[in-house]
Amino acid sequence: RPVGAAVNQNSVPDFLGEQLDGITDVSAEGGLRVNFEALAALEPDVIVGPGTTLLKLQYDLANEIAPTYAYRYGYASSDELRTNLTDLARVFGLEAQAEQSVAELDARVADLAQRLSTSARADETVSVVRIFADGAGLSLRHGTIESVLMAEIGVARPPNQQAIEAFATELSLETLDLADADTIYLYSDDPDDPTVYDSVVASPLWQPLTATRNDRVFVVDGGVWNG
């Protein structure tokens, strides 16, 4: 069980619930950096983390506090999702459990891919849009977990989104046409509170979208989709 974590709090899945109780937040700058004084105060036995800027530039400092393992990091492809899990599991001798989880994911993806390929909606396009808690920020998602898995399953994206490599594209009401698709998943940090997104979906610029006209907009939980 971790004694501390330095992460972007917006990316912590809320379905973990009470499992997060008692884990000290040692992040700085919104999760982009580590508060090493707070980390050292926890006196950890081992430090693990992604081998990106978070540790690449500060590995030596972390290693002075405790033995530090920086695992290969990335989530822009389905292979990287699996590698993250198996590399981290190896540190704790949990390779068998990780391999079982990967096998379960592979089976689930294969089943969904087969079902989609034979469905009436196989060729329909999908966009994923995030709306932030204050209702003011919008972005079109490309590199988040659901987008990676959708690509693996074979979910079609609109032509204007097929060559985008960015994690996300910021949107405004004036650029909502970039999200036009047969189906739109709109994810919100509070999907049960329509006041978060009603100003967007009520906009005259939202109404002409294909998904809106065909009643194919689905509001989903950002605590799952963003995690």
Side-chain angles (χ1 to χ4, degrees):
R1 177 181 176 81
V3 293
V7 296
N8 179 347
Q9 292 301 305
N10 290 328
S11 70
V12 178
D14 57 13
F15 58 78
L16 291 178
E18 294 180 356
Q19 294 183 62
L20 300 175
D21 291 348
I23 299 177
T24 302
D25 180 7
V26 293
S27 64
E29 298 180 36
L32 298 177
R33 295 287 184 272
V34 179
N35 181 334
F36 281 97
E37 291 183 357
L39 176 60
L42 295 176
E43 299 182 347
D45 297 309
V46 64
I47 298 170
V48 297
T52 56
T53 305
L54 187 65
L55 286 177
K56 189 184 300 181
L57 300 180
Q58 299 172 302
Y59 179 88
D60 291 341
L61 184 56
N63 205 41
E64 289 179 8
I65 298 172
T68 299
Y69 173 67
Y71 58 88
R72 185 180 305 165
Y73 179 71
Y75 46 79
S77 73
S78 55
D79 287 342
E80 289 175 329
L81 294 177
R82 291 157 172 77
T83 300
N84 279 353
L85 177 63
T86 53
D87 278 3
L88 187 57
R90 190 175 300 115
V91 179
F92 300 102
L94 299 172
E95 295 97 327
Q97 291 92 324
E99 289 171 3
Q100 177 63 31
S101 292
V102 168
E104 292 172 359
L105 175 61
D106 289 343
R108 176 67 169 153
V109 165
D111 175 59
L112 289 171
Q114 191 278 327
R115 287 166 56 188
L116 176 63
S117 68
T118 57
S119 77
R121 298 190 182 276
D123 297 325
E124 294 189 8
T125 58
V126 170
S127 282
V128 182
V129 177
R130 182 184 183 190
I131 185 166
F132 295 93
D134 58 6
L138 285 166
S139 63
L140 188 62
R141 314 304 273 186
H142 315 293
T144 34
I145 178 67
E146 83 294 321
S147 295
V148 173
L149 291 174
M150 281 182 177
E152 188 173 2
I153 292 164
V155 174
R157 291 302 184 104
N160 68 304
Q161 297 181 39
Q162 292 178 4
I164 298 176
E165 297 182 356
F167 180 79
T169 301
E170 296 305 309
L171 293 176
S172 66
L173 291 178
E174 291 72 24
T175 59
L176 281 176
D177 60 303
L178 296 176
D180 194 30
D182 296 310
T183 294
I184 293 177
Y185 290 102
L186 177 66
Y187 75 77
S188 166
D189 292 336
D190 192 353
D192 296 324
D193 181 6
T195 63
V196 173
Y197 49 83
D198 58 4
S199 62
V200 173
V201 299
S203 167
L205 298 171
W206 181 267
Q207 300 309 310
L209 299 181
T210 305
T212 304
R213 290 187 284 105
N214 295 328
D215 196 26
R216 294 286 299 170
V217 176
F218 301 96
V219 179
V220 294
D221 187 352
V224 175
W225 286 52
N226 196 46

